[in-house]
Amino acid sequence: MRRWHYPLLLGLLSPWLVWDAWRRHRRARPGHGRLFEQFGRLRDGLPRDALWLHAVSLGEVRAAAMLIRAVRARWPDLPVVISTTTETGAEAARALDLPHFYAPFDFAFAQRRVLARLRPRLLVVMETELWPNLVREAGHAHVPLVIANARLSDRSYRRYARWGGALLRDVLGGVELICAQSPADRERFLALGAGRVEDCGNLKFDLPVAAAIPAVPSGREHTWLAASTHPNEEAQVLAAHQAVRQRYPDARLILVPRHPERAGEVTRLVEGQGFSVETWSPGRPPREECTVEIVDRAGLLAGLFAEVPVVFMGGSLVPIGGHNPIEPAAVGRAVLHGPAVENFRQVFAALDERDASRQVADSEALGRAVIECFDRPESWAAVGARARDVIAEHRGAAQRLVDRLARWLD
């Protein structure tokens, strides 16, 4: 991509971005509306001379929480402000009790206004948000920019290598430090022309690890969880559930679409397959005749892993790239997953090396695997124990990252 292509593209997208900002404001819960905040119109009260953390959505905010804990331990008086792009990310950020705003769209004037308003000591961008105007304006404002927990999926690496061009070289040249999740990610960034890149490990491993593996609650022994599923994947999960119920007629499925707004669509699909369905509710046992429970809200998934003996991690039977298995593993629940896990290749490789997860090829194999887990609960529990040990052994990325940030924050 040539340098002049980018402002042209932003200009073409402007009408849609204005509409998107208005839509977010109208849909926001009372007190959470932020009219045109994405254009740099920040509200009063956000701290200045702070650490500015940017995390796109829910997964990035959860990783940022590990870093925030370590930052507060080392610099208890340092103010922290967090920005997100999505509404689900915003909800997770508010739960951290941090001042929050929606990150500006990457117009130079919007980034300039935010930087002038906040005057941050340091800007840390989670994972791989390479926004050219943000990097350029941070440089003009003398605000050091660090990319934390950086990763490049196969698809992203190929796209950057093919289309990045001079624009990508400019962006990478303006980043002070890239802290990569793995040696493979470090090598990819270096191959793209990045300067200082260090392997700091994956922040998501720094989740608290259960001291003791929780027992499966009574009545949930034959319940399994399909987490973060996508279109065309729910049908495969339901086909597997049909097979499971032939062996275990009392089997139940908790189905959690990756995007909660799809809950109505997924409910209609479940009903069309002949299952009795209801919405999952905390603390309320399902009706006896219910065979599928659907979670229709964000932020509930993490609390469900300990409630079931078997977890299938979605985004892996369709070409999405898989989702994070660390949260279930941290409470001693190993995961079943499909073959498409390139987004978390290093994590799954660490689990597979210790026989702490299991891959299935399709819906038929998924049904057989769930049945086997129900047939041999002690054996599957041992796989979960190994998964928890793997997570415990890979912790420490937050402290390594804090040590690097000390250059600007001490």
mmCIF file of all heavy atoms in Angstrom, residues 217 220 223-225 252-257 263 267 277-287 290 292-308:
data_model
loop_
_atom_site.group_PDB
_atom_site.id
_atom_site.type_symbol
_atom_site.label_atom_id
_atom_site.label_comp_id
_atom_site.label_asym_id
_atom_site.label_seq_id
_atom_site.Cartn_x
_atom_site.Cartn_y
_atom_site.Cartn_z
ATOM 1 N N PRO A 217 -20.553 -29.572 39.204
ATOM 2 C CA PRO A 217 -21.755 -29.465 40.042
ATOM 3 C C PRO A 217 -22.722 -30.627 39.820
ATOM 4 O O PRO A 217 -22.826 -31.165 38.703
ATOM 5 C CB PRO A 217 -22.375 -28.131 39.588
ATOM 6 C CG PRO A 217 -21.249 -27.358 38.988
ATOM 7 C CD PRO A 217 -20.350 -28.381 38.366
ATOM 8 N N ARG A 220 -24.848 -31.665 36.517
ATOM 9 C CA ARG A 220 -24.191 -31.213 35.294
ATOM 10 C C ARG A 220 -23.199 -32.250 34.747
ATOM 11 O O ARG A 220 -22.422 -31.954 33.854
ATOM 12 C CB ARG A 220 -23.431 -29.908 35.553
ATOM 13 C CG ARG A 220 -24.292 -28.687 35.777
ATOM 14 C CD ARG A 220 -24.973 -28.243 34.501
ATOM 15 N NE ARG A 220 -25.583 -26.927 34.609
ATOM 16 C CZ ARG A 220 -26.341 -26.372 33.665
ATOM 17 N NH1 ARG A 220 -26.558 -27.045 32.533
ATOM 18 N NH2 ARG A 220 -26.861 -25.181 33.830
ATOM 19 N N THR A 223 -23.463 -32.538 31.016
ATOM 20 C CA THR A 223 -23.636 -31.264 30.311
ATOM 21 C C THR A 223 -22.310 -30.885 29.672
ATOM 22 O O THR A 223 -21.256 -31.023 30.288
ATOM 23 C CB THR A 223 -24.066 -30.152 31.281
ATOM 24 O OG1 THR A 223 -25.334 -30.501 31.858
ATOM 25 C CG2 THR A 223 -24.206 -28.818 30.553
ATOM 26 N N TRP A 224 -22.365 -30.422 28.438
ATOM 27 C CA TRP A 224 -21.147 -29.937 27.781
ATOM 28 C C TRP A 224 -21.386 -28.541 27.249
ATOM 29 O O TRP A 224 -22.519 -28.110 27.059
ATOM 30 C CB TRP A 224 -20.654 -30.903 26.723
ATOM 31 C CG TRP A 224 -21.522 -31.163 25.527
ATOM 32 C CD1 TRP A 224 -22.746 -31.763 25.519
ATOM 33 C CD2 TRP A 224 -21.205 -30.859 24.162
ATOM 34 N NE1 TRP A 224 -23.219 -31.853 24.232
ATOM 35 C CE2 TRP A 224 -22.300 -31.315 23.372
ATOM 36 C CE3 TRP A 224 -20.121 -30.284 23.523
ATOM 37 C CZ2 TRP A 224 -22.339 -31.193 21.985
ATOM 38 C CZ3 TRP A 224 -20.139 -30.156 22.141
ATOM 39 C CH2 TRP A 224 -21.241 -30.600 21.393
ATOM 40 N N LEU A 225 -20.292 -27.829 27.053
ATOM 41 C CA LEU A 225 -20.327 -26.412 26.690
ATOM 42 C C LEU A 225 -19.670 -26.216 25.336
ATOM 43 O O LEU A 225 -18.545 -26.674 25.109
ATOM 44 C CB LEU A 225 -19.584 -25.597 27.758
ATOM 45 C CG LEU A 225 -19.307 -24.124 27.473
ATOM 46 C CD1 LEU A 225 -20.590 -23.321 27.486
ATOM 47 C CD2 LEU A 225 -18.331 -23.554 28.514
ATOM 48 N N ARG A 252 -27.191 -32.456 28.228
ATOM 49 C CA ARG A 252 -27.555 -31.077 27.906
ATOM 50 C C ARG A 252 -26.355 -30.372 27.288
ATOM 51 O O ARG A 252 -25.202 -30.721 27.540
ATOM 52 C CB ARG A 252 -28.004 -30.313 29.156
ATOM 53 C CG ARG A 252 -29.349 -30.749 29.715
ATOM 54 C CD ARG A 252 -29.846 -29.731 30.734
ATOM 55 N NE ARG A 252 -31.163 -30.070 31.231
ATOM 56 C CZ ARG A 252 -31.396 -30.723 32.368
ATOM 57 N NH1 ARG A 252 -30.369 -31.095 33.112
ATOM 58 N NH2 ARG A 252 -32.621 -30.997 32.751
ATOM 59 N N LEU A 253 -26.670 -29.349 26.528
ATOM 60 C CA LEU A 253 -25.654 -28.528 25.864
ATOM 61 C C LEU A 253 -25.871 -27.077 26.252
ATOM 62 O O LEU A 253 -26.996 -26.564 26.187
ATOM 63 C CB LEU A 253 -25.763 -28.680 24.340
ATOM 64 C CG LEU A 253 -24.993 -27.679 23.470
ATOM 65 C CD1 LEU A 253 -23.486 -27.865 23.630
ATOM 66 C CD2 LEU A 253 -25.399 -27.833 21.998
ATOM 67 N N ILE A 254 -24.790 -26.400 26.660
ATOM 68 C CA ILE A 254 -24.813 -24.949 26.834
ATOM 69 C C ILE A 254 -24.105 -24.356 25.627
ATOM 70 O O ILE A 254 -22.929 -24.640 25.383
ATOM 71 C CB ILE A 254 -24.121 -24.512 28.139
ATOM 72 C CG1 ILE A 254 -24.795 -25.161 29.353
ATOM 73 C CG2 ILE A 254 -24.158 -22.988 28.274
ATOM 74 C CD1 ILE A 254 -24.103 -24.840 30.676
ATOM 75 N N LEU A 255 -24.814 -23.543 24.870
ATOM 76 C CA LEU A 255 -24.311 -23.009 23.601
ATOM 77 C C LEU A 255 -24.090 -21.506 23.756
ATOM 78 O O LEU A 255 -25.007 -20.767 24.111
ATOM 79 C CB LEU A 255 -25.319 -23.299 22.501
ATOM 80 C CG LEU A 255 -24.957 -23.014 21.047
ATOM 81 C CD1 LEU A 255 -23.622 -23.618 20.665
ATOM 82 C CD2 LEU A 255 -26.059 -23.549 20.136
ATOM 83 N N VAL A 256 -22.855 -21.065 23.498
ATOM 84 C CA VAL A 256 -22.494 -19.656 23.687
ATOM 85 C C VAL A 256 -22.006 -19.086 22.354
ATOM 86 O O VAL A 256 -20.838 -19.277 21.988
ATOM 87 C CB VAL A 256 -21.397 -19.492 24.762
ATOM 88 C CG1 VAL A 256 -21.195 -18.010 25.087
ATOM 89 C CG2 VAL A 256 -21.746 -20.272 26.022
ATOM 90 N N PRO A 257 -22.861 -18.413 21.593
ATOM 91 C CA PRO A 257 -22.388 -17.791 20.348
ATOM 92 C C PRO A 257 -21.310 -16.751 20.635
ATOM 93 O O PRO A 257 -21.370 -16.034 21.640
ATOM 94 C CB PRO A 257 -23.647 -17.136 19.770
ATOM 95 C CG PRO A 257 -24.800 -17.767 20.492
ATOM 96 C CD PRO A 257 -24.280 -18.166 21.835
ATOM 97 N N ALA A 263 -27.965 -14.503 19.302
ATOM 98 C CA ALA A 263 -28.667 -15.480 20.142
ATOM 99 C C ALA A 263 -30.032 -15.841 19.568
ATOM 100 O O ALA A 263 -30.437 -17.013 19.598
ATOM 101 C CB ALA A 263 -28.810 -14.946 21.560
ATOM 102 N N THR A 267 -31.109 -19.521 18.479
ATOM 103 C CA THR A 267 -32.278 -20.144 19.110
ATOM 104 C C THR A 267 -33.206 -20.744 18.067
ATOM 105 O O THR A 267 -33.695 -21.875 18.211
ATOM 106 C CB THR A 267 -33.040 -19.110 19.954
ATOM 107 O OG1 THR A 267 -32.187 -18.635 21.011
ATOM 108 C CG2 THR A 267 -34.298 -19.716 20.563
ATOM 109 N N VAL A 277 -35.296 -25.633 24.080
ATOM 110 C CA VAL A 277 -34.267 -24.629 24.325
ATOM 111 C C VAL A 277 -34.769 -23.570 25.294
ATOM 112 O O VAL A 277 -35.969 -23.264 25.352
ATOM 113 C CB VAL A 277 -33.825 -23.967 22.986
ATOM 114 C CG1 VAL A 277 -34.987 -23.266 22.305
ATOM 115 C CG2 VAL A 277 -32.665 -23.023 23.180
ATOM 116 N N GLU A 278 -33.852 -23.026 26.082
ATOM 117 C CA GLU A 278 -34.155 -21.868 26.913
ATOM 118 C C GLU A 278 -32.888 -21.043 27.101
ATOM 119 O O GLU A 278 -31.776 -21.506 26.829
ATOM 120 C CB GLU A 278 -34.736 -22.282 28.257
ATOM 121 C CG GLU A 278 -33.795 -23.045 29.171
ATOM 122 C CD GLU A 278 -34.472 -23.449 30.474
ATOM 123 O OE1 GLU A 278 -35.641 -23.903 30.452
ATOM 124 O OE2 GLU A 278 -33.818 -23.315 31.531
ATOM 125 N N THR A 279 -33.057 -19.826 27.552
ATOM 126 C CA THR A 279 -31.931 -18.926 27.784
ATOM 127 C C THR A 279 -31.283 -19.247 29.121
ATOM 128 O O THR A 279 -31.981 -19.378 30.135
ATOM 129 C CB THR A 279 -32.400 -17.457 27.770
ATOM 130 O OG1 THR A 279 -32.992 -17.182 26.500
ATOM 131 C CG2 THR A 279 -31.229 -16.513 27.991
ATOM 132 N N TRP A 280 -29.970 -19.389 29.116
ATOM 133 C CA TRP A 280 -29.240 -19.675 30.354
ATOM 134 C C TRP A 280 -29.348 -18.494 31.303
ATOM 135 O O TRP A 280 -29.252 -17.326 30.893
ATOM 136 C CB TRP A 280 -27.774 -19.947 30.040
ATOM 137 C CG TRP A 280 -26.953 -20.329 31.237
ATOM 138 C CD1 TRP A 280 -26.754 -21.576 31.744
ATOM 139 C CD2 TRP A 280 -26.227 -19.438 32.090
ATOM 140 N NE1 TRP A 280 -25.954 -21.537 32.847
ATOM 141 C CE2 TRP A 280 -25.612 -20.218 33.088
ATOM 142 C CE3 TRP A 280 -26.040 -18.058 32.104
ATOM 143 C CZ2 TRP A 280 -24.826 -19.676 34.086
ATOM 144 C CZ3 TRP A 280 -25.257 -17.509 33.101
ATOM 145 C CH2 TRP A 280 -24.656 -18.314 34.074
ATOM 146 N N SER A 281 -29.545 -18.803 32.574
ATOM 147 C CA SER A 281 -29.644 -17.749 33.586
ATOM 148 C C SER A 281 -28.831 -18.156 34.801
ATOM 149 O O SER A 281 -28.928 -19.308 35.256
ATOM 150 C CB SER A 281 -31.106 -17.539 33.988
ATOM 151 O OG SER A 281 -31.216 -16.510 34.953
ATOM 152 N N PRO A 282 -28.005 -17.239 35.352
ATOM 153 C CA PRO A 282 -27.167 -17.599 36.501
ATOM 154 C C PRO A 282 -27.994 -18.069 37.688
ATOM 155 O O PRO A 282 -28.990 -17.440 38.065
ATOM 156 C CB PRO A 282 -26.438 -16.286 36.834
ATOM 157 C CG PRO A 282 -26.560 -15.444 35.606
ATOM 158 C CD PRO A 282 -27.823 -15.840 34.934
ATOM 159 N N GLY A 283 -27.593 -19.196 38.256
ATOM 160 C CA GLY A 283 -28.224 -19.690 39.467
ATOM 161 C C GLY A 283 -29.560 -20.363 39.266
ATOM 162 O O GLY A 283 -30.157 -20.850 40.228
ATOM 163 N N ARG A 284 -30.058 -20.402 38.037
ATOM 164 C CA ARG A 284 -31.354 -21.036 37.787
ATOM 165 C C ARG A 284 -31.160 -22.347 37.042
ATOM 166 O O ARG A 284 -30.645 -22.353 35.924
ATOM 167 C CB ARG A 284 -32.242 -20.110 36.949
ATOM 168 C CG ARG A 284 -33.673 -20.637 36.767
ATOM 169 C CD ARG A 284 -34.420 -19.811 35.740
ATOM 170 N NE ARG A 284 -33.913 -20.076 34.391
ATOM 171 C CZ ARG A 284 -34.248 -19.382 33.312
ATOM 172 N NH1 ARG A 284 -35.059 -18.338 33.441
ATOM 173 N NH2 ARG A 284 -33.748 -19.688 32.123
ATOM 174 N N PRO A 285 -31.549 -23.466 37.645
ATOM 175 C CA PRO A 285 -31.381 -24.740 36.942
ATOM 176 C C PRO A 285 -32.322 -24.796 35.740
ATOM 177 O O PRO A 285 -33.421 -24.217 35.769
ATOM 178 C CB PRO A 285 -31.758 -25.783 38.001
ATOM 179 C CG PRO A 285 -32.631 -25.049 38.966
ATOM 180 C CD PRO A 285 -32.152 -23.632 38.975
ATOM 181 N N PRO A 286 -31.909 -25.463 34.673
ATOM 182 C CA PRO A 286 -32.791 -25.559 33.507
ATOM 183 C C PRO A 286 -33.997 -26.443 33.796
ATOM 184 O O PRO A 286 -33.980 -27.288 34.695
ATOM 185 C CB PRO A 286 -31.878 -26.188 32.452
ATOM 186 C CG PRO A 286 -30.888 -26.982 33.226
ATOM 187 C CD PRO A 286 -30.642 -26.191 34.489
ATOM 188 N N ARG A 287 -35.047 -26.231 33.024
ATOM 189 C CA ARG A 287 -36.200 -27.128 33.106
ATOM 190 C C ARG A 287 -35.764 -28.551 32.754
ATOM 191 O O ARG A 287 -34.837 -28.762 31.972
ATOM 192 C CB ARG A 287 -37.291 -26.667 32.138
ATOM 193 C CG ARG A 287 -37.930 -25.340 32.489
ATOM 194 C CD ARG A 287 -38.953 -24.908 31.440
ATOM 195 N NE ARG A 287 -38.297 -24.551 30.181
ATOM 196 C CZ ARG A 287 -38.360 -25.265 29.076
ATOM 197 N NH1 ARG A 287 -39.039 -26.407 29.064
ATOM 198 N NH2 ARG A 287 -37.748 -24.870 27.970
ATOM 199 N N CYS A 290 -35.477 -29.348 29.163
ATOM 200 C CA CYS A 290 -34.570 -28.521 28.357
ATOM 201 C C CYS A 290 -33.348 -29.329 27.946
ATOM 202 O O CYS A 290 -32.707 -29.998 28.772
ATOM 203 C CB CYS A 290 -34.143 -27.284 29.140
ATOM 204 S SG CYS A 290 -32.881 -26.305 28.318
ATOM 205 N N VAL A 292 -31.035 -27.795 25.425
ATOM 206 C CA VAL A 292 -30.023 -26.825 25.020
ATOM 207 C C VAL A 292 -30.288 -25.503 25.722
ATOM 208 O O VAL A 292 -31.417 -24.999 25.700
ATOM 209 C CB VAL A 292 -30.027 -26.590 23.487
ATOM 210 C CG1 VAL A 292 -28.977 -25.546 23.104
ATOM 211 C CG2 VAL A 292 -29.779 -27.893 22.739
ATOM 212 N N GLU A 293 -29.250 -24.952 26.361
ATOM 213 C CA GLU A 293 -29.319 -23.615 26.950
ATOM 214 C C GLU A 293 -28.443 -22.677 26.126
ATOM 215 O O GLU A 293 -27.321 -23.042 25.751
ATOM 216 C CB GLU A 293 -28.824 -23.634 28.392
ATOM 217 C CG GLU A 293 -29.623 -24.556 29.309
ATOM 218 C CD GLU A 293 -28.954 -24.697 30.671
ATOM 219 O OE1 GLU A 293 -29.091 -23.772 31.490
ATOM 220 O OE2 GLU A 293 -28.274 -25.725 30.882
ATOM 221 N N ILE A 294 -28.950 -21.492 25.867
ATOM 222 C CA ILE A 294 -28.215 -20.517 25.059
ATOM 223 C C ILE A 294 -27.883 -19.301 25.914
ATOM 224 O O ILE A 294 -28.745 -18.764 26.625
ATOM 225 C CB ILE A 294 -29.033 -20.099 23.826
ATOM 226 C CG1 ILE A 294 -29.182 -21.292 22.889
ATOM 227 C CG2 ILE A 294 -28.371 -18.929 23.090
ATOM 228 C CD1 ILE A 294 -29.978 -21.019 21.649
ATOM 229 N N VAL A 295 -26.620 -18.880 25.853
ATOM 230 C CA VAL A 295 -26.163 -17.695 26.569
ATOM 231 C C VAL A 295 -26.256 -16.507 25.617
ATOM 232 O O VAL A 295 -25.660 -16.526 24.540
ATOM 233 C CB VAL A 295 -24.725 -17.872 27.090
ATOM 234 C CG1 VAL A 295 -24.232 -16.609 27.772
ATOM 235 C CG2 VAL A 295 -24.667 -19.059 28.052
ATOM 236 N N ASP A 296 -27.012 -15.498 26.020
ATOM 237 C CA ASP A 296 -27.288 -14.371 25.121
ATOM 238 C C ASP A 296 -26.650 -13.066 25.574
ATOM 239 O O ASP A 296 -27.000 -12.001 25.088
ATOM 240 C CB ASP A 296 -28.793 -14.166 24.965
ATOM 241 C CG ASP A 296 -29.483 -13.786 26.278
ATOM 242 O OD1 ASP A 296 -28.815 -13.824 27.344
ATOM 243 O OD2 ASP A 296 -30.675 -13.446 26.234
ATOM 244 N N ARG A 297 -25.696 -13.151 26.509
ATOM 245 C CA ARG A 297 -25.022 -11.950 27.000
ATOM 246 C C ARG A 297 -23.516 -12.165 27.018
ATOM 247 O O ARG A 297 -23.043 -13.275 27.250
ATOM 248 C CB ARG A 297 -25.491 -11.588 28.410
ATOM 249 C CG ARG A 297 -26.879 -10.979 28.472
ATOM 250 C CD ARG A 297 -27.280 -10.712 29.908
ATOM 251 N NE ARG A 297 -27.574 -11.965 30.619
ATOM 252 C CZ ARG A 297 -27.599 -12.082 31.942
ATOM 253 N NH1 ARG A 297 -27.298 -11.043 32.701
ATOM 254 N NH2 ARG A 297 -27.886 -13.231 32.496
ATOM 255 N N ALA A 298 -22.778 -11.079 26.808
ATOM 256 C CA ALA A 298 -21.318 -11.142 26.880
ATOM 257 C C ALA A 298 -20.874 -11.141 28.337
ATOM 258 O O ALA A 298 -21.609 -10.711 29.235
ATOM 259 C CB ALA A 298 -20.702 -9.954 26.142
ATOM 260 N N GLY A 299 -19.672 -11.621 28.573
ATOM 261 C CA GLY A 299 -19.073 -11.557 29.902
ATOM 262 C C GLY A 299 -19.423 -12.698 30.822
ATOM 263 O O GLY A 299 -18.983 -12.706 31.980
ATOM 264 N N LEU A 300 -20.214 -13.669 30.366
ATOM 265 C CA LEU A 300 -20.629 -14.772 31.223
ATOM 266 C C LEU A 300 -19.826 -16.046 30.994
ATOM 267 O O LEU A 300 -19.813 -16.937 31.833
ATOM 268 C CB LEU A 300 -22.116 -15.084 31.002
ATOM 269 C CG LEU A 300 -23.103 -13.955 31.320
ATOM 270 C CD1 LEU A 300 -24.519 -14.391 30.977
ATOM 271 C CD2 LEU A 300 -23.023 -13.569 32.794
ATOM 272 N N LEU A 301 -19.159 -16.133 29.864
ATOM 273 C CA LEU A 301 -18.520 -17.393 29.476
ATOM 274 C C LEU A 301 -17.471 -17.854 30.476
ATOM 275 O O LEU A 301 -17.417 -19.037 30.821
ATOM 276 C CB LEU A 301 -17.895 -17.241 28.088
ATOM 277 C CG LEU A 301 -17.185 -18.470 27.516
ATOM 278 C CD1 LEU A 301 -18.147 -19.653 27.418
ATOM 279 C CD2 LEU A 301 -16.591 -18.148 26.147
ATOM 280 N N ALA A 302 -16.642 -16.931 30.955
ATOM 281 C CA ALA A 302 -15.543 -17.332 31.842
ATOM 282 C C ALA A 302 -16.050 -18.063 33.083
ATOM 283 O O ALA A 302 -15.382 -18.976 33.589
ATOM 284 C CB ALA A 302 -14.723 -16.108 32.249
ATOM 285 N N GLY A 303 -17.223 -17.683 33.577
ATOM 286 C CA GLY A 303 -17.768 -18.329 34.763
ATOM 287 C C GLY A 303 -18.411 -19.673 34.503
ATOM 288 O O GLY A 303 -18.785 -20.375 35.452
ATOM 289 N N LEU A 304 -18.549 -20.050 33.234
ATOM 290 C CA LEU A 304 -19.226 -21.308 32.902
ATOM 291 C C LEU A 304 -18.289 -22.499 32.795
ATOM 292 O O LEU A 304 -18.731 -23.644 32.878
ATOM 293 C CB LEU A 304 -19.982 -21.148 31.572
ATOM 294 C CG LEU A 304 -21.221 -20.264 31.601
ATOM 295 C CD1 LEU A 304 -21.756 -20.061 30.191
ATOM 296 C CD2 LEU A 304 -22.297 -20.896 32.471
ATOM 297 N N PHE A 305 -17.007 -22.250 32.593
ATOM 298 C CA PHE A 305 -16.100 -23.366 32.344
ATOM 299 C C PHE A 305 -16.055 -24.350 33.505
ATOM 300 O O PHE A 305 -15.961 -25.565 33.296
ATOM 301 C CB PHE A 305 -14.699 -22.841 32.032
ATOM 302 C CG PHE A 305 -14.613 -22.075 30.747
ATOM 303 C CD1 PHE A 305 -14.087 -20.796 30.719
ATOM 304 C CD2 PHE A 305 -15.061 -22.629 29.560
ATOM 305 C CE1 PHE A 305 -13.997 -20.083 29.539
ATOM 306 C CE2 PHE A 305 -14.980 -21.930 28.366
ATOM 307 C CZ PHE A 305 -14.447 -20.645 28.362
ATOM 308 N N ALA A 306 -16.112 -23.843 34.728
ATOM 309 C CA ALA A 306 -16.063 -24.740 35.891
ATOM 310 C C ALA A 306 -17.388 -25.451 36.131
ATOM 311 O O ALA A 306 -17.465 -26.342 36.985
ATOM 312 C CB ALA A 306 -15.675 -23.952 37.140
ATOM 313 N N GLU A 307 -18.432 -25.087 35.389
ATOM 314 C CA GLU A 307 -19.766 -25.644 35.618
ATOM 315 C C GLU A 307 -20.026 -26.920 34.825
ATOM 316 O O GLU A 307 -21.072 -27.545 34.991
ATOM 317 C CB GLU A 307 -20.828 -24.600 35.243
ATOM 318 C CG GLU A 307 -20.780 -23.322 36.059
ATOM 319 C CD GLU A 307 -21.143 -23.577 37.514
ATOM 320 O OE1 GLU A 307 -22.168 -24.247 37.754
ATOM 321 O OE2 GLU A 307 -20.399 -23.113 38.400
ATOM 322 N N VAL A 308 -19.102 -27.268 33.930
ATOM 323 C CA VAL A 308 -19.324 -28.426 33.054
ATOM 324 C C VAL A 308 -18.056 -29.282 33.004
ATOM 325 O O VAL A 308 -16.957 -28.791 33.247
ATOM 326 C CB VAL A 308 -19.689 -27.972 31.628
ATOM 327 C CG1 VAL A 308 -21.002 -27.206 31.612
ATOM 328 C CG2 VAL A 308 -18.575 -27.139 31.009
#
